[in-house]
Amino acid sequence: MNSKQIISLLPYQDPFLFVDDLTEISSKGITGHYTFKKETHFYKGHFKNNPITPGVILTECMAQIGLVCLGIYILKDEFVENTNPKIALTSSQVDFFLPVYPGEKVTVVSEKEVFRFNKLKCNVKMYNEKGDLICRGKISGMIKA
């Protein structure tokens, strides 16, 4: 299963799709990228005259790439084209270190900690284009085909 196939199975669409591409994919982990569009609606109010990407959106981006895309890849034999995965985020613990500004490209790197009984737990990190750590944490969820 390649990057394009995985992204096509995601149950998200614009404006709530936070995956542009996946560059490394294995059953042990995944790496992907997303560029936050300058015209995205939440920048108008977060924060006044100093727009930054909300932490909940950064967490969602990390979950989409680091958990959902990886889960689809791990369960690839159970998926057929146009199948929508059933996903439930069960927990996240994320620490934030740097802001993400409109137009900024981020890289998400996820390493599988455990996958058992359709529950996936990952260690996920997000970096900016300079390679600086933006945030990191553990994200868990249930994924079924």
Side-chain angles (χ1 to χ4, degrees):
M1 182 174 271
N2 64 35
S3 173
K4 197 175 248 187
Q5 291 168 316
I6 293 169
I7 293 170
S8 74
L9 289 171
L10 290 171
Y12 315 106
Q13 64 184 15
D14 196 42
F16 210 74
L17 175 64
F18 300 111
V19 183
D20 287 334
D21 66 337
L22 304 170
T23 54
E24 294 180 34
I25 309 165
S26 78
S27 59
K28 295 180 181 182
I30 197 162
T31 300
H33 308 277
Y34 182 72
T35 301
F36 287 94
K37 298 166 189 69
K38 291 180 180 182
E39 65 278 357
T40 304
H41 70 281
F42 53 74
Y43 288 125
K44 292 177 184 172
H46 193 266
F47 290 99
K48 188 191 292 188
N49 300 322
N50 185 29
I52 64 168
T53 309
V56 68
I57 299 295
L58 298 178
T59 302
E60 179 66 26
C61 179
M62 290 171 58
Q64 286 186 18
I65 294 172
L67 189 80
V68 181
C69 289
L70 180 57
I72 289 171
Y73 181 77
I74 290 170
L75 293 170
K76 64 184 175 274
D77 294 335
E78 297 181 31
F79 283 101
V80 293
E81 195 107 1
N82 298 322
T83 298
N84 287 326
K86 290 142 191 79
I87 300 158
L89 185 66
T90 57
S91 68
S92 65
Q93 176 186 348
V94 180
D95 296 315
F96 299 93
F97 305 105
L98 294 172
V100 174
Y101 298 103
E104 205 169 337
K105 180 179 180 178
V106 298
T107 299
V108 174
V109 178
S110 178
E111 295 176 352
K112 177 181 74 176
E113 188 173 298
V114 66
F115 178 69
R116 188 173 29 185
F117 306 116
N118 290 88
K119 185 169 184 178
L120 179 59
K121 185 176 188 180
C122 299
N123 294 306
V124 188
K125 296 178 181 175
M126 179 182 283
Y127 299 94
N128 62 21
E129 289 184 277
K130 296 177 189 173
D132 298 326
L133 182 64
I134 295 168
C135 52
R136 68 173 175 222
K138 289 188 185 286
I139 301 178
S140 302
M142 298 294 293
I143 300 176
K144 290 186 178 186

